């Protein structure tokens, strides 16, 4: 998307390096970072300089290419896959991207592996941009249908965390329909869940929407149900890190609570996802999806700006015990529809299984 008039993706290559936007500094600093080794890529994923299922996958793919430059052997490939796969366990796009690159380059002579992996990572990025734009086109129809009955008043959309262009290579998933609607002149307003503890909503979604001129309001995570009870939310659109074969949706912690509030208030709850985010090998999300447990320090502290510096401050008494599950699972029964690049569908095993057929 555009930042100060210049078009950006979240990840690109320059010479022999991979360049990313360092999201740990947002919204206070807009800085890039060069990744030149697989270890750099792993660190960027682990500490969330890059985050969001599709972008994690793209970064891991380039990480593998960087690893193959150093050691194209099968042993080297296996070690690099293990290191990158161990960074974050929940987003299925990580291992999906790694295994796609491995399948592509394994039959090749050692001397050709690194360049082929680099090209495959580039294809993954280009495909993600096209997929998300198409998700936007499909989701636009849902927003347009609500706008038709609002007589010019904005369509109020609540989103949780950041499933924006910063979570992907471009466009975002949950935000793609929002950008498309805004660009089509449909009045929209977005309720942005701050999304503790890493505040992807307050820090990233608010920044994105502000850059694009989309009206929005940051709210505390616990306000969404209150707004839905008062008819101030026309729909919820969120992203996902892994959706199962039966339509259970794993997403940022707190998503499940929004789905419950939406169901209780008759608010449509949509999940926007590229089909690589579907894990056809699991059915029961609650039982089978590994939920990342991140550092308790992320709960005990918060990042912010003091003057020109980005700092962290302590929130709790020293040594306070804290728990930090990073994701939760929303059962398919609470999901109104999935918005994919293949169209809008019910979160059912039949509809999801049909996606395995060629488009
Ligand atoms: C389009 S995937 C976005 C998805 O990823 C986020 O998690 P994290 O920021 O920890 O990588 C969150 O679950 C978003 O919905």
């Amino acid at each position: 998307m555009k930042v100060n008039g210049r078009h950006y993706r979240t990840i690109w290559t320059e010479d022999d390096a991979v360049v990313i936007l360092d999201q740990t500094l947002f919204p206070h600093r807009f800085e890039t970072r060069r990744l030149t080794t697989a270890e750099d890529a792993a660190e960027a994923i682990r500490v969330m300089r890059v985050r969001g299922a599709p972008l994690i996958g793209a970064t891991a793919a380039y990480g593998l290419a960087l690893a193959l430059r150093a050691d194209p052997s099968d042993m080297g490939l296996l070690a690099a896959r293990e290191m990158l796969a161990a960074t974050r366990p929940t987003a299925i796009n990580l291992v999906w991207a790694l295994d796609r690159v491995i399948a592509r380059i394994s039959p090749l002579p050692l001397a050709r592996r690194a360049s082929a992996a680099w090209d495959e990572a580039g294809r993954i990025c280009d495909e993600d941009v096209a997929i998300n734009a198409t998700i936007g086109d499909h989701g636009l129809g849902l927003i347009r249908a609500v706008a038709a009955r609002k007589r010019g008043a904005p369509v109020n959309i609540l989103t949780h965390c950041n499933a924006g262009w910063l979570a992907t290579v471009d466009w975002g998933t949950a935000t793609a329909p929002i950008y498309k609607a805004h660009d089509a002149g449909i009045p929209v307003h977005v309720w942005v869940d701050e999304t503790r503890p890493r505040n992807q909503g307050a820090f990233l979604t608010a920044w994105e929407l502000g850059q694009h001129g989309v009206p929005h309001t940051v709210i505390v995570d616990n306000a969404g149900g209150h707004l839905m009870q008062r008819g101030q939310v026309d729909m919820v659109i969120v992203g996902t890190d892994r959706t199962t074969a039966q339509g259970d949706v794993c997403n940022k912690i707190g998503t499940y609570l929004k789905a419950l509030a939406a169901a209780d208030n008759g608010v449509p709850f949509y999940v926007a996802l590229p089909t690589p985010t579907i894990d056809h090998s699991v059915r029961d999300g609650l039982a089978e999806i590994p939920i990342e447990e991140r550092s308790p320090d992320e709960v005990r502290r918060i990042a912010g700006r003091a003057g020109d510096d980005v700092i962290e401050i302590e929130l709790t008494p020293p040594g306070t015990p804290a728990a930090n599950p990073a994701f939760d699972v929303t059962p398919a029964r609470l999901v109104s529809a999935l918005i994919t690049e293949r169209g809008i569908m019910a979160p059912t095993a039949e509809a999801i299984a049909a996606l395995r057929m060629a488009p």
Side-chain angles (χ1 to χ4, degrees), residues 71-92:
D71 177 358
S73 70
D74 288 348
M75 288 294 286
L77 183 59
L78 206 59
R81 185 197 186 283
E82 194 172 330
M83 175 188 66
L84 288 159
T87 53
R88 297 189 73 191
T90 303
I92 189 64

Side-chain angles (χ1 to χ4, degrees), residues 244-248 279-286 288 349-350:
T244 73
Q246 69 183 26
D248 293 344
D279 183 352
H280 294 278
S281 71
V282 297
R283 291 183 64 85
D284 182 340
L286 269 179
E288 300 182 75
E350 297 73 23

Side-chain angles (χ1 to χ4, degrees), residues 332-343:
R333 60 181 166 80
L334 295 176
V335 177
S336 304
L338 303 175
I339 309 171
T340 78
E341 73 278 19
R342 300 276 292 280

Side-chain angles (χ1 to χ4, degrees), residues 90 240-243 248-252 289 291 327-329:
T90 303
T240 174
D241 295 81
R242 188 184 308 214
T243 291
D248 293 344
V249 169
C250 184
N251 196 50
K252 182 55 52 194
I289 297 177
I291 300 296
F327 300 96
D328 60 25
V329 175

Side-chain angles (χ1 to χ4, degrees), residues 26-27 159-166 175 179 190-195 199-219:
F26 276 59
T159 194
H160 189 70
C161 197
N162 173 255
W165 73 270
L166 290 174
T175 59
Y179 290 133
V190 184
W191 295 112
V192 177
D193 276 357
E194 62 175 343
T195 316
N199 304 297
Q200 290 91 327
F203 291 3
L204 303 177
T205 305
W207 179 88
E208 276 196 34
L209 297 176
Q211 285 289 328
H212 203 77
V214 178
H216 60 282
T217 305
V218 172
I219 53 175

Side-chain angles (χ1 to χ4, degrees), residues 21-29 33 44 47-51 198 203-204 303 310:
L21 302 178
D22 184 347
Q23 298 185 32
T24 59
L25 301 174
F26 276 59
H28 311 301
R29 294 220 300 264
R33 193 176 182 94
V47 307
M48 297 172 66
R49 298 186 199 280
V50 293
R51 21 76 43 209
R198 288 294 295 265
F203 291 3
L204 303 177
V310 177

Side-chain angles (χ1 to χ4, degrees), residues 10-12 18-21 23 33 35 37-46 48-67 83-84 87 93-94 96-98 101 117-118 121-122 124-125 128 166-169:
T10 50
I11 187 168
W12 66 93
V18 180
V19 184
I20 59 165
L21 302 178
Q23 298 185 32
R33 193 176 182 94
L35 312 179
T37 66
E39 289 73 14
D40 288 347
E43 188 265 357
I45 295 168
R46 190 179 308 111
M48 297 172 66
R49 298 186 199 280
V50 293
R51 21 76 43 209
L55 180 54
I56 287 172
T59 307
Y62 273 119
L64 211 52
L66 290 167
M83 175 188 66
L84 288 159
T87 53
N93 309 60
L94 176 53
W96 167 82
L98 290 172
V101 172
W118 193 264
I124 287 172
C125 291
D128 184 62
L166 290 174
T168 68
V169 178

